[in-house]
Amino acid sequence: MRFDPPEPKGKLDAMLTDTRVDAVTVNGPEDVLPAWDAIDWRTREEEVRRLRQRIFKAAQEQDWPRVRNLQKLMLRSRSNTLVSVRRVTQRNAGRRTAGIDGEVALTSKARGEVAVRVHWSVSSWKPVAVRRVYIPKASNPAKSRPLGIPVIMDRCHQARVRNALEPEWEARFEPRSYGFRPGRGCHDAIEAIYAVCKGPRSKRVWILDADLAAAFDKIDHSRLLQALGSFPARGMIEGWLKAGVFEAGKGFAPTGEGTPQGGVVTPPTQ
């Protein structure tokens, strides 16, 4: 008989209506959630980090039932909700940029209220279309590339889902893969190339630099969803892929293929 891991104690069942108070009651008098500015963030982030490590280890051991159970635990986790909302509304550089609903959360009270709404809707949230904006390309400022800006609720849910999805795929990716991975970048790739090519006896002396035109715009949804397998939040990811795009002056356009660049969950799905 297999037992699911126990769910963390407590729910985000009370709205933070005044950030000056010391605490609000959550799920009765025995569960207390501090006001937003009084939350012990080190403890919350450590809980998420440990659970990510457990998912990573289980994926390394290819214990897929355990991976799925731990991912469900992460998706239900109150700490994951709090850390995700904080990342989107307080630490992210785009926290002042709104989606099509115009909503941002720049105060402690607003962030607490968003956290409650996010946790209440973990199993019922329906993704919303992204807002299309254009920014100059880093390689050629004369050209622009499109970004899809999700609404704040979608961004928070994406951060939650990312903490459940990313550790599994970190364990499955090739060791010399560096794109869109946490803690890795182009300098790590350069260092790996140098280590292979250095020395007079090196047998690998060619480096191929290639760029796939509109690669992210053409990603096949069915192939991506098939790769996710039985991931617990697969349906929500499908909703984000199919949510569509709204562009000023052009209106709504459906998304039959590709992934919108600009969302929190974009890197793990690319």
Side-chain angles (χ1 to χ4, degrees):
M1 179 179 296
R2 189 182 73 229
F3 295 93
D4 291 346
E7 182 176 354
K9 187 179 182 180
K11 300 280 189 181
L12 280 174
D13 289 338
M15 183 171 293
L16 304 179
T17 57
D18 188 348
T19 58
R20 294 172 297 178
V21 299
D22 293 330
V24 293
T25 302
V26 183
N27 271 5
E30 66 173 341
D31 291 332
V32 177
L33 175 69
W36 184 262
D37 292 330
I39 292 173
D40 185 350
W41 291 111
R42 179 175 295 181
T43 298
R44 298 298 181 183
E45 290 174 354
E46 178 64 18
E47 289 174 357
V48 173
R49 185 192 66 80
R50 288 201 305 267
L51 190 47
R52 283 176 59 105
Q53 283 187 331
R54 292 172 66 189
I55 295 171
F56 178 84
K57 186 173 184 295
Q60 276 190 322
E61 296 171 352
Q62 298 187 22
D63 187 349
W64 302 119
R66 181 170 176 78
V67 169
R68 297 301 179 230
N69 285 337
L70 291 170
Q71 287 173 330
K72 291 175 184 176
L73 185 62
M74 177 69 86
L75 293 169
R76 295 194 306 263
S77 166
R78 181 175 66 176
S79 291
N80 185 24
T81 295
L82 290 171
V83 168
S84 298
V85 172
R86 187 187 188 212
R87 173 182 178 179
V88 169
T89 64
Q90 192 168 341
R91 308 181 78 174
N92 192 281
R95 61 188 178 276
R96 299 179 185 275
T97 304
I100 62 173
D101 61 355
E103 182 184 5
V104 294
L106 303 178
T107 67
S108 296
K109 179 181 178 181
R111 289 162 182 155
E113 291 172 350
V114 168
V116 172
R117 288 161 53 200
V118 168
H119 208 67
W120 275 351
S121 60
V122 292
S123 60
S124 60
W125 177 253
K126 302 298 182 184
V128 180
V130 300
R131 181 169 69 92
R132 172 63 52 82
V133 297
Y134 293 89
I135 63 172
K137 282 189 173 183
S139 58
N140 186 357
K143 296 183 177 181
S144 61
R145 67 184 183 93
L147 287 183
I149 309 300
V151 298
I152 192 170
M153 287 288 289
D154 269 325
R155 275 180 275 174
C156 293
H157 278 297
Q158 287 180 8
R160 291 178 47 259
V161 170
R162 179 174 182 167
N163 279 331
L165 178 66
E166 198 169 59
E168 174 195 345
W169 285 91
E170 277 298 297
R172 298 172 67 174
F173 282 145
E174 293 290 336
R176 288 190 177 178
S177 168
Y178 297 95
F180 301 103
R181 296 183 65 179
R184 296 190 176 206
C186 60
H187 292 290
D188 299 297
I190 292 171
E191 184 178 348
I193 292 171
Y194 175 77
V196 170
C197 296
K198 70 178 181 180
R201 297 185 179 181
S202 175
K203 297 182 179 180
R204 299 180 180 180
V205 295
W206 291 94
I207 300 172
L208 177 63
D209 182 13
D211 185 19
L212 300 177
F216 299 143
D217 298 333
K218 300 296 183 182
I219 290 178
D220 183 80
H221 289 178
S222 60
R223 175 67 184 88
L224 181 59
L225 293 170
Q226 181 182 2
L228 291 176
S230 58
F231 177 63
R234 183 179 181 274
M236 189 169 283
I237 291 178
E238 182 177 10
W240 287 321
L241 292 173
K242 306 291 187 183
V245 174
F246 183 86
E247 185 173 348
K250 295 184 178 180
F252 175 81
T255 47
E257 61 181 0
T259 60
Q261 299 180 59
V264 178
V265 82
T266 299
T269 59
Q270 290 183 339

